[in-house]
Amino acid sequence: LLSLLGGNEIAICAGISILAGLGDVLPPSAINARFAAQVVGDVALGRVILRCLPFVGLAAAGGMALILR
């Protein structure tokens, strides 16, 4: 956050928070994906992660847009 002080600090912090949260969806930990697989009763974790990827990309684009604006 300190290296990006030229912009809106609140928006930059929000963007960094969005990007940090995406680590829970992607392997190797994939905590959120494992929980989602258990909730829907699906045993194939890879299938759940593949279904989440478009939304992960959208969240990553939104986070980067907040940081770079």
Side-chain angles (χ1 to χ4, degrees):
L1 182 63
L2 292 176
S3 65
L4 301 170
L5 279 179
N8 184 355
E9 291 87 7
I10 295 173
I12 292 171
C13 187
I16 292 171
S17 297
I18 290 171
L19 292 178
L22 295 180
D24 292 337
V25 178
L26 301 174
S29 64
I31 296 168
N32 291 341
R34 287 184 200 280
F35 180 68
Q38 288 177 357
V39 167
V40 297
D42 197 353
V43 294
L45 181 63
R47 192 171 20 203
V48 173
I49 291 174
L50 284 176
R51 288 195 156 205
C52 292
L53 280 181
F55 303 105
V56 168
L58 184 63
M64 289 302 295
L66 281 172
I67 293 171
L68 298 176
R69 68 182 225 170

Short mmCIF file of all heavy atoms in Angstrom, two decimals:
data_model
loop_
_atom_site.label_atom_id
_atom_site.label_comp_id
_atom_site.label_asym_id
_atom_site.label_seq_id
_atom_site.Cartn_x
_atom_site.Cartn_y
_atom_site.Cartn_z
N LEU A 1 0.82 -1.19 0.00
CA LEU A 1 0.00 0.00 0.00
C LEU A 1 0.87 1.25 0.00
O LEU A 1 0.53 2.22 -0.65
CB LEU A 1 -0.95 -0.02 1.20
CG LEU A 1 -1.93 1.13 1.34
CD1 LEU A 1 -2.89 1.15 0.17
CD2 LEU A 1 -2.68 1.02 2.62
N LEU A 2 1.98 1.21 0.71
CA LEU A 2 2.83 2.39 0.80
C LEU A 2 3.46 2.75 -0.54
O LEU A 2 3.71 3.92 -0.81
CB LEU A 2 3.92 2.18 1.85
CG LEU A 2 3.43 2.12 3.29
CD1 LEU A 2 4.59 1.82 4.22
CD2 LEU A 2 2.76 3.42 3.69
N SER A 3 3.71 1.75 -1.39
CA SER A 3 4.32 2.05 -2.68
C SER A 3 3.34 2.67 -3.66
O SER A 3 3.74 3.19 -4.69
CB SER A 3 4.92 0.78 -3.28
OG SER A 3 3.90 -0.15 -3.58
N LEU A 4 2.06 2.63 -3.36
CA LEU A 4 1.04 3.16 -4.26
C LEU A 4 0.32 4.36 -3.66
O LEU A 4 -0.85 4.59 -3.92
CB LEU A 4 0.01 2.07 -4.57
CG LEU A 4 0.57 0.81 -5.24
CD1 LEU A 4 -0.49 -0.27 -5.27
CD2 LEU A 4 1.04 1.11 -6.64
N LEU A 5 1.01 5.16 -2.84
CA LEU A 5 0.37 6.26 -2.12
C LEU A 5 -0.07 7.41 -3.01
O LEU A 5 -0.74 8.31 -2.54
CB LEU A 5 1.30 6.79 -1.03
CG LEU A 5 1.29 5.98 0.26
CD1 LEU A 5 2.27 6.59 1.25
CD2 LEU A 5 -0.08 5.91 0.87
N GLY A 6 0.26 7.40 -4.27
CA GLY A 6 -0.13 8.49 -5.15
C GLY A 6 -1.62 8.48 -5.49
O GLY A 6 -2.16 9.47 -5.96
N GLY A 7 -2.31 7.40 -5.23
CA GLY A 7 -3.72 7.28 -5.58
C GLY A 7 -4.62 7.30 -4.36
O GLY A 7 -4.22 7.69 -3.26
N ASN A 8 -5.84 6.88 -4.56
CA ASN A 8 -6.82 6.80 -3.49
C ASN A 8 -6.49 5.59 -2.62
O ASN A 8 -6.62 4.44 -3.06
CB ASN A 8 -8.22 6.69 -4.09
CG ASN A 8 -9.29 6.70 -3.05
OD1 ASN A 8 -9.03 6.69 -1.86
ND2 ASN A 8 -10.53 6.71 -3.51
N GLU A 9 -6.08 5.83 -1.39
CA GLU A 9 -5.63 4.74 -0.53
C GLU A 9 -6.73 3.74 -0.21
O GLU A 9 -6.48 2.54 -0.08
CB GLU A 9 -5.07 5.30 0.79
CG GLU A 9 -3.77 6.04 0.64
CD GLU A 9 -3.97 7.51 0.31
OE1 GLU A 9 -5.13 7.98 0.32
OE2 GLU A 9 -2.97 8.19 0.02
N ILE A 10 -7.95 4.20 -0.08
CA ILE A 10 -9.06 3.30 0.25
C ILE A 10 -9.35 2.36 -0.91
O ILE A 10 -9.54 1.15 -0.72
CB ILE A 10 -10.30 4.11 0.65
CG1 ILE A 10 -10.03 4.89 1.93
CG2 ILE A 10 -11.51 3.19 0.82
CD1 ILE A 10 -11.10 5.84 2.33
N ALA A 11 -9.38 2.88 -2.13
CA ALA A 11 -9.63 2.05 -3.31
C ALA A 11 -8.49 1.06 -3.52
O ALA A 11 -8.71 -0.11 -3.86
CB ALA A 11 -9.82 2.92 -4.54
N ILE A 12 -7.25 1.51 -3.31
CA ILE A 12 -6.10 0.63 -3.48
C ILE A 12 -6.13 -0.49 -2.44
O ILE A 12 -5.89 -1.66 -2.76
CB ILE A 12 -4.79 1.42 -3.41
CG1 ILE A 12 -4.68 2.34 -4.63
CG2 ILE A 12 -3.58 0.51 -3.32
CD1 ILE A 12 -3.54 3.33 -4.56
N CYS A 13 -6.46 -0.16 -1.21
CA CYS A 13 -6.55 -1.18 -0.16
C CYS A 13 -7.67 -2.18 -0.46
O CYS A 13 -7.51 -3.38 -0.22
CB CYS A 13 -6.78 -0.50 1.18
SG CYS A 13 -6.71 -1.61 2.58
N ALA A 14 -8.78 -1.71 -1.00
CA ALA A 14 -9.88 -2.61 -1.38
C ALA A 14 -9.44 -3.54 -2.49
O ALA A 14 -9.75 -4.74 -2.47
CB ALA A 14 -11.09 -1.80 -1.79
N GLY A 15 -8.71 -3.03 -3.47
CA GLY A 15 -8.23 -3.87 -4.57
C GLY A 15 -7.25 -4.92 -4.09
O GLY A 15 -7.30 -6.08 -4.51
N ILE A 16 -6.34 -4.54 -3.19
CA ILE A 16 -5.39 -5.50 -2.64
C ILE A 16 -6.13 -6.58 -1.84
O ILE A 16 -5.79 -7.76 -1.89
CB ILE A 16 -4.34 -4.78 -1.79
CG1 ILE A 16 -3.44 -3.92 -2.68
CG2 ILE A 16 -3.51 -5.77 -0.99
CD1 ILE A 16 -2.51 -3.01 -1.92
N SER A 17 -7.17 -6.19 -1.11
CA SER A 17 -7.95 -7.15 -0.32
C SER A 17 -8.67 -8.15 -1.22
O SER A 17 -8.75 -9.33 -0.89
CB SER A 17 -8.96 -6.41 0.55
OG SER A 17 -8.31 -5.60 1.47
N ILE A 18 -9.19 -7.67 -2.34
CA ILE A 18 -9.86 -8.57 -3.29
C ILE A 18 -8.86 -9.58 -3.83
O ILE A 18 -9.14 -10.79 -3.90
CB ILE A 18 -10.51 -7.78 -4.43
CG1 ILE A 18 -11.71 -6.99 -3.91
CG2 ILE A 18 -10.95 -8.70 -5.57
CD1 ILE A 18 -12.29 -6.02 -4.92
N LEU A 19 -7.69 -9.11 -4.23
CA LEU A 19 -6.68 -10.02 -4.78
C LEU A 19 -6.17 -11.01 -3.74
O LEU A 19 -5.90 -12.17 -4.06
CB LEU A 19 -5.51 -9.22 -5.35
CG LEU A 19 -5.83 -8.38 -6.60
CD1 LEU A 19 -4.62 -7.59 -7.02
CD2 LEU A 19 -6.32 -9.26 -7.72
N ALA A 20 -6.04 -10.58 -2.50
CA ALA A 20 -5.58 -11.48 -1.44
C ALA A 20 -6.60 -12.58 -1.17
O ALA A 20 -6.23 -13.72 -0.86
CB ALA A 20 -5.30 -10.69 -0.17
N GLY A 21 -7.87 -12.28 -1.29
CA GLY A 21 -8.91 -13.27 -1.05
C GLY A 21 -8.98 -14.34 -2.12
O GLY A 21 -9.53 -15.42 -1.89
N LEU A 22 -8.44 -14.07 -3.30
CA LEU A 22 -8.50 -15.06 -4.38
C LEU A 22 -7.58 -16.25 -4.12
O LEU A 22 -7.76 -17.30 -4.72
CB LEU A 22 -8.11 -14.40 -5.71
CG LEU A 22 -9.08 -13.33 -6.20
CD1 LEU A 22 -8.58 -12.75 -7.51
CD2 LEU A 22 -10.48 -13.88 -6.35
N GLY A 23 -6.64 -16.10 -3.23
CA GLY A 23 -5.75 -17.21 -2.90
C GLY A 23 -6.47 -18.37 -2.23
O GLY A 23 -5.99 -19.51 -2.26
N ASP A 24 -7.63 -18.12 -1.66
CA ASP A 24 -8.40 -19.19 -1.02
C ASP A 24 -9.17 -20.03 -2.02
O ASP A 24 -9.67 -21.10 -1.67
CB ASP A 24 -9.37 -18.61 -0.01
CG ASP A 24 -8.69 -18.00 1.20
OD1 ASP A 24 -7.54 -18.40 1.47
OD2 ASP A 24 -9.30 -17.15 1.87
N VAL A 25 -9.28 -19.56 -3.24
CA VAL A 25 -10.04 -20.29 -4.25
C VAL A 25 -9.13 -21.19 -5.08
O VAL A 25 -9.53 -22.27 -5.49
CB VAL A 25 -10.80 -19.31 -5.17
CG1 VAL A 25 -11.55 -20.04 -6.26
CG2 VAL A 25 -11.75 -18.45 -4.37
N LEU A 26 -7.90 -20.76 -5.30
CA LEU A 26 -7.00 -21.46 -6.21
C LEU A 26 -6.10 -22.44 -5.45
O LEU A 26 -5.83 -22.26 -4.28
CB LEU A 26 -6.15 -20.43 -6.95
CG LEU A 26 -6.97 -19.43 -7.78
CD1 LEU A 26 -6.06 -18.38 -8.36
CD2 LEU A 26 -7.73 -20.13 -8.87
N PRO A 27 -5.66 -23.49 -6.15
CA PRO A 27 -4.76 -24.45 -5.52
C PRO A 27 -3.44 -23.78 -5.13
O PRO A 27 -3.10 -22.76 -5.70
CB PRO A 27 -4.52 -25.50 -6.60
CG PRO A 27 -5.62 -25.32 -7.58
CD PRO A 27 -6.04 -23.89 -7.49
N PRO A 28 -2.67 -24.27 -4.21
CA PRO A 28 -2.75 -25.60 -3.61
C PRO A 28 -3.71 -25.71 -2.43
O PRO A 28 -4.12 -26.81 -2.10
CB PRO A 28 -1.31 -25.86 -3.14
CG PRO A 28 -0.77 -24.52 -2.85
CD PRO A 28 -1.44 -23.59 -3.82
N SER A 29 -4.06 -24.61 -1.76
CA SER A 29 -4.95 -24.77 -0.61
C SER A 29 -6.40 -24.91 -1.03
O SER A 29 -7.09 -25.82 -0.59
CB SER A 29 -4.78 -23.61 0.36
OG SER A 29 -5.16 -22.40 -0.26
N ALA A 30 -6.91 -24.02 -1.85
CA ALA A 30 -8.27 -24.05 -2.38
C ALA A 30 -9.31 -24.29 -1.29
O ALA A 30 -10.20 -25.12 -1.42
CB ALA A 30 -8.40 -25.09 -3.48
N ILE A 31 -9.20 -23.54 -0.21
CA ILE A 31 -10.08 -23.73 0.94
C ILE A 31 -11.55 -23.48 0.55
O ILE A 31 -12.43 -24.29 0.86
CB ILE A 31 -9.65 -22.81 2.10
CG1 ILE A 31 -8.26 -23.19 2.57
CG2 ILE A 31 -10.65 -22.87 3.24
CD1 ILE A 31 -7.63 -22.19 3.49
N ASN A 32 -11.81 -22.37 -0.12
CA ASN A 32 -13.19 -22.06 -0.51
C ASN A 32 -13.73 -23.07 -1.51
O ASN A 32 -14.91 -23.43 -1.47
CB ASN A 32 -13.28 -20.65 -1.08
CG ASN A 32 -13.06 -19.60 -0.03
OD1 ASN A 32 -13.18 -19.86 1.17
ND2 ASN A 32 -12.73 -18.40 -0.47
N ALA A 33 -12.90 -23.52 -2.44
CA ALA A 33 -13.34 -24.50 -3.42
C ALA A 33 -13.65 -25.84 -2.76
O ALA A 33 -14.63 -26.51 -3.12
CB ALA A 33 -12.29 -24.66 -4.50
N ARG A 34 -12.85 -26.23 -1.79
CA ARG A 34 -13.13 -27.49 -1.07
C ARG A 34 -14.46 -27.40 -0.31
O ARG A 34 -15.25 -28.33 -0.29
CB ARG A 34 -12.01 -27.81 -0.10
CG ARG A 34 -10.75 -28.26 -0.74
CD ARG A 34 -9.71 -28.65 0.29
NE ARG A 34 -8.39 -28.65 -0.26
CZ ARG A 34 -7.88 -29.63 -0.99
NH1 ARG A 34 -8.62 -30.69 -1.23
NH2 ARG A 34 -6.67 -29.55 -1.47
N PHE A 35 -14.68 -26.26 0.32
CA PHE A 35 -15.93 -26.08 1.06
C PHE A 35 -17.12 -26.09 0.10
O PHE A 35 -18.15 -26.72 0.38
CB PHE A 35 -15.89 -24.76 1.84
CG PHE A 35 -17.14 -24.49 2.61
CD1 PHE A 35 -17.49 -25.26 3.69
CD2 PHE A 35 -17.99 -23.46 2.25
CE1 PHE A 35 -18.65 -25.02 4.40
CE2 PHE A 35 -19.14 -23.20 2.94
CZ PHE A 35 -19.48 -23.99 4.03
N ALA A 36 -16.99 -25.42 -1.05
CA ALA A 36 -18.07 -25.41 -2.03
C ALA A 36 -18.34 -26.82 -2.55
O ALA A 36 -19.50 -27.20 -2.77
CB ALA A 36 -17.73 -24.47 -3.18
N ALA A 37 -17.29 -27.60 -2.76
CA ALA A 37 -17.48 -28.98 -3.24
C ALA A 37 -18.22 -29.82 -2.20
O ALA A 37 -19.07 -30.64 -2.54
CB ALA A 37 -16.13 -29.60 -3.56
N GLN A 38 -17.93 -29.61 -0.92
CA GLN A 38 -18.62 -30.36 0.12
C GLN A 38 -20.09 -29.94 0.22
O GLN A 38 -20.96 -30.78 0.43
CB GLN A 38 -17.94 -30.14 1.46
CG GLN A 38 -16.61 -30.84 1.58
CD GLN A 38 -15.94 -30.53 2.91
OE1 GLN A 38 -16.44 -29.76 3.72
NE2 GLN A 38 -14.79 -31.15 3.13
N VAL A 39 -20.35 -28.64 0.04
CA VAL A 39 -21.73 -28.16 0.15
C VAL A 39 -22.60 -28.73 -0.95
O VAL A 39 -23.73 -29.17 -0.70
CB VAL A 39 -21.76 -26.62 0.13
CG1 VAL A 39 -23.16 -26.09 -0.06
CG2 VAL A 39 -21.16 -26.06 1.42
N VAL A 40 -22.10 -28.77 -2.18
CA VAL A 40 -22.91 -29.27 -3.29
C VAL A 40 -22.82 -30.78 -3.45
O VAL A 40 -23.50 -31.36 -4.28
CB VAL A 40 -22.54 -28.58 -4.62
CG1 VAL A 40 -22.83 -27.10 -4.56
CG2 VAL A 40 -21.11 -28.85 -5.01
N GLY A 41 -21.96 -31.43 -2.64
CA GLY A 41 -21.85 -32.88 -2.70
C GLY A 41 -21.04 -33.39 -3.87
O GLY A 41 -21.17 -34.54 -4.27
N ASP A 42 -20.18 -32.56 -4.43
CA ASP A 42 -19.35 -32.96 -5.56
C ASP A 42 -17.99 -33.42 -5.03
O ASP A 42 -17.39 -32.76 -4.19
CB ASP A 42 -19.17 -31.77 -6.51
CG ASP A 42 -18.69 -32.19 -7.88
OD1 ASP A 42 -18.37 -33.37 -8.05
OD2 ASP A 42 -18.64 -31.32 -8.76
N VAL A 43 -17.52 -34.55 -5.52
CA VAL A 43 -16.25 -35.07 -5.04
C VAL A 43 -15.07 -34.59 -5.88
O VAL A 43 -13.93 -34.69 -5.45
CB VAL A 43 -16.25 -36.62 -5.00
CG1 VAL A 43 -17.23 -37.11 -3.96
CG2 VAL A 43 -16.56 -37.19 -6.35
N ALA A 44 -15.32 -34.07 -7.07
CA ALA A 44 -14.26 -33.63 -7.96
C ALA A 44 -13.96 -32.15 -7.70
O ALA A 44 -14.70 -31.26 -8.12
CB ALA A 44 -14.65 -33.84 -9.41
N LEU A 45 -12.87 -31.89 -7.00
CA LEU A 45 -12.49 -30.52 -6.67
C LEU A 45 -12.12 -29.74 -7.93
O LEU A 45 -12.42 -28.55 -8.04
CB LEU A 45 -11.31 -30.53 -5.70
CG LEU A 45 -10.79 -29.19 -5.24
CD1 LEU A 45 -11.88 -28.44 -4.47
CD2 LEU A 45 -9.56 -29.36 -4.38
N GLY A 46 -11.50 -30.39 -8.89
CA GLY A 46 -11.11 -29.72 -10.14
C GLY A 46 -12.30 -29.16 -10.89
O GLY A 46 -12.22 -28.08 -11.48
N ARG A 47 -13.40 -29.87 -10.87
CA ARG A 47 -14.61 -29.40 -11.56
C ARG A 47 -15.16 -28.14 -10.90
O ARG A 47 -15.60 -27.22 -11.58
CB ARG A 47 -15.65 -30.52 -11.56
CG ARG A 47 -16.79 -30.27 -12.47
CD ARG A 47 -17.68 -31.47 -12.62
NE ARG A 47 -17.54 -32.44 -11.53
CZ ARG A 47 -17.87 -33.72 -11.64
NH1 ARG A 47 -18.33 -34.17 -12.77
NH2 ARG A 47 -17.73 -34.53 -10.63
N VAL A 48 -15.10 -28.08 -9.59
CA VAL A 48 -15.57 -26.89 -8.87
C VAL A 48 -14.66 -25.70 -9.16
O VAL A 48 -15.13 -24.59 -9.40
CB VAL A 48 -15.64 -27.17 -7.35
CG1 VAL A 48 -15.95 -25.92 -6.58
CG2 VAL A 48 -16.66 -28.24 -7.06
N ILE A 49 -13.35 -25.95 -9.17
CA ILE A 49 -12.40 -24.88 -9.45
C ILE A 49 -12.60 -24.36 -10.88
O ILE A 49 -12.57 -23.14 -11.11
CB ILE A 49 -10.95 -25.35 -9.22
CG1 ILE A 49 -10.73 -25.58 -7.73
CG2 ILE A 49 -9.95 -24.35 -9.75
CD1 ILE A 49 -9.39 -26.18 -7.39
N LEU A 50 -12.82 -25.24 -11.83
CA LEU A 50 -13.04 -24.80 -13.21
C LEU A 50 -14.30 -23.94 -13.33
O LEU A 50 -14.34 -22.99 -14.12
CB LEU A 50 -13.13 -26.00 -14.15
CG LEU A 50 -11.80 -26.66 -14.48
CD1 LEU A 50 -12.03 -27.90 -15.35
CD2 LEU A 50 -10.87 -25.69 -15.18
N ARG A 51 -15.33 -24.28 -12.58
CA ARG A 51 -16.55 -23.46 -12.61
C ARG A 51 -16.35 -22.10 -11.95
O ARG A 51 -17.03 -21.14 -12.28
CB ARG A 51 -17.70 -24.19 -11.94
CG ARG A 51 -18.20 -25.32 -12.77
CD ARG A 51 -19.53 -25.77 -12.28
NE ARG A 51 -20.19 -26.42 -13.39
CZ ARG A 51 -21.48 -26.51 -13.49
NH1 ARG A 51 -22.24 -26.02 -12.56
NH2 ARG A 51 -22.02 -27.12 -14.50
N CYS A 52 -15.42 -22.02 -11.01
CA CYS A 52 -15.14 -20.76 -10.32
C CYS A 52 -14.22 -19.83 -11.10
O CYS A 52 -14.18 -18.63 -10.82
CB CYS A 52 -14.51 -21.04 -8.95
SG CYS A 52 -15.60 -21.81 -7.77
N LEU A 53 -13.45 -20.37 -12.05
CA LEU A 53 -12.43 -19.57 -12.72
C LEU A 53 -12.95 -18.31 -13.40
O LEU A 53 -12.29 -17.27 -13.32
CB LEU A 53 -11.66 -20.44 -13.71
CG LEU A 53 -10.58 -21.32 -13.10
CD1 LEU A 53 -9.85 -22.11 -14.17
CD2 LEU A 53 -9.60 -20.51 -12.29
N PRO A 54 -14.10 -18.31 -14.09
CA PRO A 54 -14.56 -17.05 -14.67
C PRO A 54 -14.81 -15.97 -13.62
O PRO A 54 -14.50 -14.79 -13.83
CB PRO A 54 -15.86 -17.42 -15.40
CG PRO A 54 -15.77 -18.88 -15.61
CD PRO A 54 -14.96 -19.43 -14.49
N PHE A 55 -15.33 -16.36 -12.47
CA PHE A 55 -15.60 -15.40 -11.42
C PHE A 55 -14.32 -14.94 -10.73
O PHE A 55 -14.21 -13.80 -10.31
CB PHE A 55 -16.59 -15.99 -10.41
CG PHE A 55 -17.86 -16.42 -11.06
CD1 PHE A 55 -18.12 -17.77 -11.26
CD2 PHE A 55 -18.77 -15.48 -11.50
CE1 PHE A 55 -19.29 -18.16 -11.88
CE2 PHE A 55 -19.94 -15.87 -12.12
CZ PHE A 55 -20.21 -17.21 -12.31
N VAL A 56 -13.34 -15.84 -10.66
CA VAL A 56 -12.03 -15.47 -10.12
C VAL A 56 -11.38 -14.45 -11.05
O VAL A 56 -10.81 -13.46 -10.60
CB VAL A 56 -11.14 -16.72 -9.94
CG1 VAL A 56 -9.70 -16.34 -9.67
CG2 VAL A 56 -11.68 -17.60 -8.84
N GLY A 57 -11.48 -14.68 -12.35
CA GLY A 57 -10.94 -13.72 -13.32
C GLY A 57 -11.62 -12.38 -13.24
O GLY A 57 -10.98 -11.32 -13.33
N LEU A 58 -12.92 -12.39 -13.06
CA LEU A 58 -13.68 -11.14 -12.93
C LEU A 58 -13.27 -10.39 -11.66
O LEU A 58 -13.08 -9.17 -11.70
CB LEU A 58 -15.17 -11.45 -12.91
CG LEU A 58 -16.13 -10.26 -12.88
CD1 LEU A 58 -15.97 -9.44 -14.15
CD2 LEU A 58 -17.55 -10.74 -12.73
N ALA A 59 -13.12 -11.11 -10.57
CA ALA A 59 -12.70 -10.47 -9.32
C ALA A 59 -11.27 -9.94 -9.43
O ALA A 59 -10.96 -8.86 -8.93
CB ALA A 59 -12.81 -11.46 -8.16
N ALA A 60 -10.39 -10.70 -10.11
CA ALA A 60 -9.01 -10.24 -10.29
C ALA A 60 -8.97 -8.99 -11.16
O ALA A 60 -8.23 -8.04 -10.86
CB ALA A 60 -8.17 -11.35 -10.92
N ALA A 61 -9.78 -8.95 -12.20
CA ALA A 61 -9.83 -7.75 -13.06
C ALA A 61 -10.37 -6.55 -12.27
O ALA A 61 -9.87 -5.44 -12.40
CB ALA A 61 -10.68 -8.03 -14.28
N GLY A 62 -11.38 -6.78 -11.45
CA GLY A 62 -11.93 -5.70 -10.64
C GLY A 62 -10.92 -5.20 -9.62
O GLY A 62 -10.79 -3.98 -9.39
N GLY A 63 -10.20 -6.11 -8.99
CA GLY A 63 -9.17 -5.72 -8.03
C GLY A 63 -8.05 -4.93 -8.69
O GLY A 63 -7.59 -3.92 -8.15
N MET A 64 -7.61 -5.38 -9.85
CA MET A 64 -6.56 -4.66 -10.56
C MET A 64 -7.05 -3.30 -11.03
O MET A 64 -6.30 -2.32 -11.04
CB MET A 64 -6.06 -5.49 -11.75
CG MET A 64 -5.26 -6.69 -11.34
SD MET A 64 -3.81 -6.31 -10.36
CE MET A 64 -2.83 -5.40 -11.50
N ALA A 65 -8.32 -3.23 -11.42
CA ALA A 65 -8.87 -1.93 -11.85
C ALA A 65 -8.90 -0.94 -10.69
O ALA A 65 -8.63 0.25 -10.87
CB ALA A 65 -10.28 -2.12 -12.42
N LEU A 66 -9.21 -1.44 -9.50
CA LEU A 66 -9.19 -0.55 -8.33
C LEU A 66 -7.78 -0.08 -8.00
O LEU A 66 -7.58 1.08 -7.61
CB LEU A 66 -9.78 -1.28 -7.11
CG LEU A 66 -11.29 -1.37 -7.05
CD1 LEU A 66 -11.70 -2.28 -5.90
CD2 LEU A 66 -11.91 -0.01 -6.89
N ILE A 67 -6.82 -0.95 -8.16
CA ILE A 67 -5.44 -0.60 -7.84
C ILE A 67 -4.87 0.38 -8.87
O ILE A 67 -4.21 1.36 -8.51
CB ILE A 67 -4.56 -1.86 -7.75
CG1 ILE A 67 -4.98 -2.69 -6.55
CG2 ILE A 67 -3.09 -1.49 -7.66
CD1 ILE A 67 -4.32 -4.04 -6.47
N LEU A 68 -5.14 0.15 -10.13
CA LEU A 68 -4.50 0.93 -11.20
C LEU A 68 -5.25 2.18 -11.61
O LEU A 68 -4.76 2.93 -12.46
CB LEU A 68 -4.29 0.04 -12.42
CG LEU A 68 -3.37 -1.16 -12.19
CD1 LEU A 68 -3.33 -2.01 -13.44
CD2 LEU A 68 -1.99 -0.70 -11.78
N ARG A 69 -6.39 2.45 -11.04
CA ARG A 69 -7.15 3.64 -11.47
C ARG A 69 -6.60 4.91 -10.96
O ARG A 69 -5.80 5.09 -10.17
CB ARG A 69 -8.61 3.52 -11.14
CG ARG A 69 -8.93 3.56 -9.67
CD ARG A 69 -10.38 3.39 -9.43
NE ARG A 69 -10.76 4.40 -8.45
CZ ARG A 69 -11.98 4.70 -8.13
NH1 ARG A 69 -12.95 4.09 -8.72
NH2 ARG A 69 -12.27 5.58 -7.25
#
